[in-house]
């Protein structure tokens, strides 16, 4: 399939997965190349765990637990119970099937395969036809600076359930991080680029900060379409508001548009946020109103169709 007919998608985890589920109902999977955040990746129990890559992979493979938004459906946790005994900590959850993914990835990477190569093998085995690409093969870790010190994002999210103050957000290793080979060309050639309704601070920003990606997107901003992760000034789920507030950003669709203004040609906000339209248009971003709350498959597909049909 020619690169210039493909759709490039920037994705985090749960918010992105909802839209991607819709996108692959509208067009065959081969049309999509998905660049996924790896800042949340963590090594636990000696296993290399990539939460966002796994959410997206399981979603495309139609294996994800839709209620939780992560992990496999029909999961059991027997292995985790024993791991907890051995390691003595209990804040991170890994299902038995999920553990198999982490074991396979860790095994491949210990044999010299890169994260992107391991991802490709996992996708092949699970029958995924989209091109799922980690934002980098280099080590990057998102850390939250709290009054109690520096913690990994997964600790902030799961162990502390986001109930801890935020002084700053940093991406360890980002200065050395390079995009996976071919990604900058894919940005140039893609027919459309979609920025998913993901957390702008901890899911999309790390991708944008990988060397060359933000610059490449700026050059093609006329084909970049964003979808707001905020509706009526609030996230549908997760700590997007807490993180934006901590970084002194306005918690609204306008705040998101301003944050992405240099790379965004088009922005889809919720019909309930009509009041922001002219302010966003004044940033030079063409603004569209649609129902962007994806409460079921029908809504996911409707939003996906709307985006794919935009005549840009
Ligand atoms: P995470 O890495 O698992 O936190 O997932 P993401 O970064 O991809 O997504 C988190 C963001 O998704 C939050 O800001 C949510 O508000 C947003 N989100 C979740 N569900 C929806 C939805 O149905 N519609 C929109 N527009 N945003 C959503």
């Amino acid at each position: 399939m020619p690169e210039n007919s493909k759709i490039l998608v920037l994705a985090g985890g749960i918010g992105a997965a909802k839209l991607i589920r819709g996108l692959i109902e509208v067009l065959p999977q081969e049309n999509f190349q998905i660049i996924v955040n790896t800042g949340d990746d963590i090594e636990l129990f000696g296993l290399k765990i990539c939460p966002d890559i796994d959410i997206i992979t399981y979603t495309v493979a139609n294996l994800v637990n839709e209620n939780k938004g992560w992990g496999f459906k029909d999961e059991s946790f027997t292995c985790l119970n024993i791991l907890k005994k051995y390691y003595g900590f209990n804040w991170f959850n890994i299902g038995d099937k999920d553990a198999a993914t982490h074991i396979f990835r860790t095994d491949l990477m210990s044999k010299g395969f890169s994260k992107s190569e391991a991802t490709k093998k996992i996708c092949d085995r699970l029958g995924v036809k989209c091109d799922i690409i980690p934002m980098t093969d280099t080590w990057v870790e998102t850390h939250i600076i709290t009054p109690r010190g520096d913690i990994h994002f997964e600790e902030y999210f799961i162990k502390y359930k986001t109930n801890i103050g935020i002084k700053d957000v940093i991406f360890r290793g980002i200065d050395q991080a390079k995009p996976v080979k071919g990604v900058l060309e894919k940005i140039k050639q893609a027919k459309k680029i979609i920025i998913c309704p993901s957390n702008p601070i901890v899911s999309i920003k790390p991708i944008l900060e990988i060397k060359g990606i933000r610059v490449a997107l700026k050059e093609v901003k006329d084909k970049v379409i964003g979808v707001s992760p905020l509706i009526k000034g609030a996230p549908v789920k997760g700590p997007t508001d807490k993180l934006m507030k901590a970084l002194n950003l306005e918690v609204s669709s306008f705040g998101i548009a301003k944050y992405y203004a240099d790379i965004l040609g088009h922005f889809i906000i919720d019909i309930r946020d009509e009041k922001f339209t002219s302010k966003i248009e004044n940033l030079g971003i063409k603004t569209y109103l649609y129902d962007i709350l994806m409460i079921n498959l029908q809504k996911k597909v409707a939003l996906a169709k709307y985006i794919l049909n935009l005549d840009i």
Side-chain angles (χ1 to χ4, degrees):
M1 198 175 168
E3 291 283 310
N4 63 3
S5 59
K6 291 202 179 182
I7 313 285
L8 188 108
V9 180
L10 304 193
I14 289 172
K18 286 186 178 179
L19 180 58
I20 289 167
R21 179 73 183 87
L23 291 169
I24 59 169
E25 283 290 316
V26 183
L27 286 179
Q29 292 188 15
E30 288 81 354
N31 287 274
F32 300 100
Q33 0 189 50
I34 309 171
I35 314 291
V36 186
N37 170 44
T38 60
D40 301 1
D41 293 7
I42 189 164
E43 199 161 323
L44 289 172
F45 315 118
L47 299 173
K48 293 187 189 303
I49 301 168
C50 304
D52 285 352
I53 291 179
D54 291 342
I55 288 171
I56 302 302
T57 304
Y58 301 161
T59 298
V60 177
N62 201 16
L63 294 169
V64 81
N65 180 325
E66 298 258 0
N67 293 332
K68 286 191 178 141
W70 57 270
F72 280 86
K73 43 185 147 186
D74 307 321
E75 196 41 302
S76 52
F77 290 85
T78 311
C79 174
L80 182 69
N81 290 333
I82 307 295
L83 283 174
K84 282 177 179 170
K85 277 195 208 297
Y86 289 146
Y87 286 85
F89 73 94
N90 61 2
W91 61 270
F92 199 84
N93 292 312
I94 300 175
D96 295 335
K97 296 179 192 175
D98 204 15
T101 304
H102 309 323
I103 291 168
F104 186 45
R105 174 187 294 117
T106 307
D107 185 28
L108 288 168
M109 291 179 71
S110 75
K111 289 178 173 139
F113 290 98
S114 64
K115 193 176 280 180
S116 53
E117 289 165 340
T119 303
K120 195 165 180 347
K121 284 190 187 292
I122 293 165
C123 286
D124 285 348
R125 306 291 154 88
L126 295 180
V128 168
K129 301 275 187 289
C130 295
D131 207 0
I132 298 181
I133 308 166
M135 67 180 192
T136 181
D137 276 327
T138 328
W139 173 83
V140 173
E141 254 181 35
T142 301
H143 283 237
I144 308 293
I145 312 295
T146 78
R148 284 195 244 162
D150 168 339
I151 55 175
H152 190 287
F153 175 73
E154 291 297 333
E155 279 184 280
Y156 165 76
F157 194 53
I158 301 171
K159 185 172 171 183
Y160 292 100
K161 300 186 169 35
T162 79
N163 293 319
I164 185 166
I166 304 165
K167 287 172 63 182
D168 204 359
V169 179
I170 55 167
F171 309 117
R172 297 213 176 277
I174 200 81
D175 293 342
Q176 286 76 44
K178 294 191 207 99
V180 170
K181 198 164 167 268
V183 162
L184 299 182
E185 290 70 27
K186 289 181 196 301
I187 291 176
K188 254 186 227 152
Q189 290 171 6
K191 187 174 165 199
K192 280 181 184 171
I193 298 174
I194 301 169
I195 301 182
C196 285
S198 285
N199 187 316
I201 312 297
V202 294
S203 291
I204 301 299
K205 190 168 184 230
I207 305 178
L208 301 179
E209 291 209 355
I210 303 289
K211 205 166 281 138
I213 291 196
R214 191 159 208 142
V215 175
L217 288 169
K218 268 187 204 176
E219 281 169 11
V220 298
K221 68 187 273 187
D222 286 348
K223 65 178 181 187
V224 180
I225 307 162
V227 180
S228 179
L230 297 178
I231 298 174
K232 287 170 76 183
V236 178
K237 205 174 172 199
T240 297
D241 50 346
K242 290 184 182 174
L243 289 156
M244 289 184 78
K245 253 185 229 153
L247 301 184
N248 292 318
L249 299 166
E250 181 183 311
V251 185
S252 71
S253 292
F254 174 66
I256 303 274
K258 226 167 126 188
Y259 192 64
Y260 291 147
D262 59 328
I263 53 162
L264 215 56
H266 310 263
F267 196 39
I268 306 174
I269 63 171
D270 195 77
I271 26 172
R272 289 151 278 212
D273 278 334
E274 190 180 359
K275 64 177 182 195
F276 295 116
T277 308
S278 59
K279 266 177 97 179
I280 300 175
E281 294 257 337
N282 286 341
L283 297 170
I285 301 168
K286 195 153 179 355
T287 308
Y288 309 80
L289 293 169
Y290 199 76
D291 179 0
I292 61 168
L293 183 60
M294 295 174 279
I295 50 166
N296 54 35
L297 183 58
Q298 204 185 350
K299 296 270 184 186
K300 293 173 192 175
V301 173
L303 179 57
K305 266 192 193 148
Y306 182 76
I307 297 171
L308 294 171
N309 286 337
L310 278 184
D311 188 19
I312 62 167

